[in-house]
Amino acid sequence: MKLSKLFSVSCLAGGALSASWIVPGAVWTDTAGNKIDAHGGNVVQRGDTFYWVGQSASQNEIPLMYSSTDLLNWTPLGAQNSLQYLWRPKIAKPNGSFWIYGQLNRNIQSMVSTQMVGGYKLHGAAVTIPPNGYTYSDTGMFQDTDGSWYILTSADHNIVQINKLNSDGSIGARASQLAAGAYEAPGILKVSGTYYLIVSGKTGWRSNPNKVFSAPSIAGPWTGPSNIAPEAEKTYNSQNTFELTIAGSQATTYIYMGDSWDSKGGPNSNHVWLPIKVDGSKKTLTLDWHAMWKVDVKTGVVSFPKAGRRYEVADAEVIGKRGVVGKVDSESEVVFRNVTGEGGKQWVSFHYAVNNRSAGEAHISINDQQVPTNISSLNSNAGFHNTVPVEIVLEKGDKNVIRFGAMGETGFEVTIDGIEVFDDREEL
Ligand SMILES: *[C@@H]1O[C@H](CO)[C@@H](O)[C@H](O)[C@H]1NC(C)=O
Ligand SMILES: *[C@@H]1O[C@H](CO)[C@@H](O)[C@H](O)[C@H]1NC(C)=O
Ligand SMILES: *[C@@H]1O[C@H](CO)[C@@H](O)[C@H](O)[C@H]1NC(C)=O
Ligand SMILES: *[C@@H]1O[C@H](CO)[C@@H](O)[C@H](O)[C@H]1NC(C)=O
């Protein structure tokens, strides 16, 4: 007993804290302490374990895999093949083998293994999409409740097309298509017999308001679209990649999984996962925004952290020419002193608004940090949202100093209310 307690304390000091919340837009780290690097991917459950495959933004889009039993702590399982530029890889299991499908040179490349983790070998050459021999962008994947697998594509780069996967792993017949505009990044969620097809607009790496169509059958007809989030939120600065259903003992929770891309789909891209609210009568879906949340994968119940310790700007020290409480620009700073930390990484929410997201950035320095860190490099929702949780290292005790400042063009201004320091374990 004593030993295990000591061990957990030393873990804390080393910063190897286990992840406690899903924080949309924030940098997420794996159990080895490295940034999770799996984009455009999907998550499948096998027994008690979830497997997540995605393209590596730092290693030329090779497929990287991670596993988790709680959707919070992800163990890195490495590259599943050395093939580069395999975009939006997706795990599927159309027969007794394990498959990964992705986009290679605008065609579908599949790879197959006898096991979930490792041993994936290319299965033939990359192929076009039947029946029209279309090339495509953006692989999506959906397993229906009867066990059938469907690959979703932006066929001919505009028409969202759904093709069944044959039991030999080849791309089968077209199940339906949606020719309602220029859409990509498709995913499907099935709720009470209704199929919901989530798609993104085409704006490159910039986020746009993703849409949903519904149909009584995988064959269509598809009705819609409606927005899955308020238009101005641009899908909370993300693009769809996959929908995961957690059918727990007490609740079924549907999870939107999106990528929060940086300006070029590079290594600073993050993830936005959110619970989905389903309106079965209107046949619409809405993302249920929470800055921090998690789902119990056994019960399906979603929970949120208890309010953290608040440090108000009114009690903080304001440095700078302007000296206006709460208003920060390039020549001023708010200093929160005597902030209590647990000793290690923990979540701290910054509650602030910017007057123009394109004109500058808010930044922070912790304790004796000399060069400030832009908040956007810790959470890509910085500036999009007035509550921005970031994971930072605080020293144990009540002597931490957090400096909050801004840098930008003339006229760029940030208004801060305060900060909120979370005890990682306390849930509501
Ligand atoms: C699945 O299909 C592939 C390709 O046809 C085949 O090589 C493999 O043996 C099949 N796996 C099983 C377990 O049937
Ligand atoms: C911070 O703590 C120091 C003692 O450690 C105390 O002197 C000071 O008054 C405190 N400041 C505030 C703002 O509470
Ligand atoms: C925001 O800043 C950008 C970059 O300087 C500028 O182009 C744009 O006009 C500004 N928007 C508003 C509403 O002031
Ligand atoms: C932080 O943001 C400012 C303002 O947008 C920018 O000028 C600066 O280059 C950024 N710093 C880093 C390290 O990206």
Side-chain angles (χ1 to χ4, degrees):
M1 276 313 275
K2 198 149 192 193
L3 202 72
S4 74
K5 200 161 185 187
L6 273 175
F7 178 70
S8 70
V9 167
S10 69
C11 273
L12 284 177
L17 255 182
S18 58
S20 42
W21 302 103
I22 294 174
V23 184
V27 169
W28 297 354
T29 46
D30 64 21
T31 54
N34 298 313
K35 186 174 188 227
I36 292 178
D37 189 15
H39 304 276
N42 74 339
V43 173
V44 297
Q45 186 173 6
R46 196 165 163 73
D48 288 340
T49 306
F50 296 89
Y51 295 91
W52 178 3
V53 77
Q55 74 199 39
S56 165
S58 66
Q59 295 174 68
N60 296 332
E61 285 70 40
I62 58 172
L64 293 184
M65 198 184 276
Y66 296 83
S67 69
S68 173
T69 52
D70 58 10
L71 297 176
L72 296 168
N73 296 286
W74 292 95
T75 304
L77 302 173
Q80 299 305 303
N81 191 285
S82 59
L83 182 67
Q84 298 186 344
Y85 308 111
L86 184 75
W87 301 91
R88 292 183 173 269
K90 299 285 190 294
I91 302 167
K93 206 168 178 308
N95 72 357
S97 301
F98 298 82
W99 297 75
I100 293 174
Y101 295 81
Q103 175 198 333
L104 181 72
N105 295 328
R106 307 276 184 198
N107 291 327
I108 300 174
Q109 176 67 57
S110 58
M111 40 185 82
V112 62
S113 174
T114 55
Q115 63 216 33
M116 176 65 90
V117 184
Y120 285 90
K121 303 249 184 312
L122 298 193
H123 185 71
V127 297
T128 58
I129 299 161
N132 297 334
Y134 281 149
T135 57
Y136 81 108
S137 45
D138 289 7
T139 324
M141 192 61 69
F142 168 65
Q143 186 182 24
D144 207 341
T145 41
D146 69 359
S148 311
W149 289 86
Y150 293 90
I151 192 163
L152 321 175
T153 56
S154 183
D156 208 19
H157 314 296
N158 273 341
I159 303 166
V160 175
Q161 187 165 306
I162 300 167
N163 286 68
K164 195 167 179 175
L165 293 181
N166 294 325
S167 64
D168 64 358
S170 62
I171 313 300
R174 177 172 61 201
S176 71
Q177 62 174 29
L178 171 75
Y183 291 122
E184 61 183 13
I188 290 181
L189 179 64
K190 187 182 185 183
V191 183
S192 308
T194 298
Y195 294 77
Y196 295 91
L197 173 59
I198 297 175
V199 291
S200 146
K202 301 184 85 160
T203 51
W205 300 113
R206 280 161 297 129
S207 51
N208 59 61
N210 290 197
K211 312 275 182 192
V212 62
F213 292 81
S214 70
S217 153
I218 193 89
W222 297 98
T223 305
S226 59
N227 284 330
I228 62 170
E231 185 98 11
E233 300 284 358
K234 300 196 170 159
T235 325
Y236 302 107
N237 192 26
S238 72
Q239 181 183 38
N240 182 53
T241 181
F242 187 69
E243 278 57 54
L244 180 68
T245 298
I246 302 293
S249 57
Q250 292 174 38
T252 298
T253 293
Y254 305 101
I255 304 176
Y256 162 87
M257 297 182 162
D259 294 288
S260 190
W261 301 111
D262 67 15
S263 60
K264 44 188 183 300
N268 291 325
S269 302
N270 293 324
H271 308 277
V272 170
W273 291 2
L274 288 168
I276 300 174
K277 279 189 185 151
V278 182
D279 185 329
S281 58
K282 288 193 190 136
K283 308 236 182 291
T284 56
L285 303 181
T286 321
L287 305 189
D288 189 14
W289 169 262
H290 292 281
M292 298 169 79
W293 68 284
K294 70 179 168 188
V295 58
D296 182 315
V297 299
K298 299 272 186 305
T299 63
V301 173
V302 169
S303 63
F304 311 100
K306 263 179 146 162
R309 275 187 310 283
R310 290 268 320 199
Y311 297 84
E312 303 302 332
V313 76
D315 304 325
E317 185 183 332
V318 180
I319 296 174
K321 271 194 201 162
R322 300 168 52 94
V324 180
V325 173
K327 292 251 194 234
V328 177
D329 62 15
S330 305
E331 289 161 356
S332 54
E333 201 175 47
V334 173
V335 187
F336 298 91
R337 291 188 193 277
N338 297 20
V339 175
T340 305
E342 292 165 45
K345 273 189 175 178
Q346 65 192 97
W347 291 103
V348 178
S349 266
F350 290 80
H351 297 274
Y352 70 98
V354 302
N355 66 344
N356 180 348
R357 212 163 56 210
S358 317
E361 299 232 26
H363 57 67
I364 52 172
S365 307
I366 315 300
N367 295 325
D368 51 10
Q369 184 183 340
Q370 295 301 310
V371 181
T373 306
N374 283 340
I375 297 181
S376 66
S377 70
L378 303 172
N379 187 325
S380 44
N381 276 338
F384 279 80
H385 258 270
N386 298 353
T387 301
V388 187
V390 300
E391 206 175 24
I392 54 181
V393 176
L394 293 182
E395 281 164 27
K396 193 161 178 64
D398 61 2
K399 298 268 191 317
N400 289 280
V401 178
I402 298 181
R403 295 172 182 275
F404 179 94
M407 187 153 78
E409 297 167 12
T410 310
F412 176 65
E413 206 169 70
V414 177
T415 312
I416 180 162
D417 298 341
I419 64 175
E420 193 176 359
V421 180
F422 291 92
D423 175 338
D424 282 351
R425 255 137 257 293
E426 277 191 81
E427 69 181 64
L428 204 60

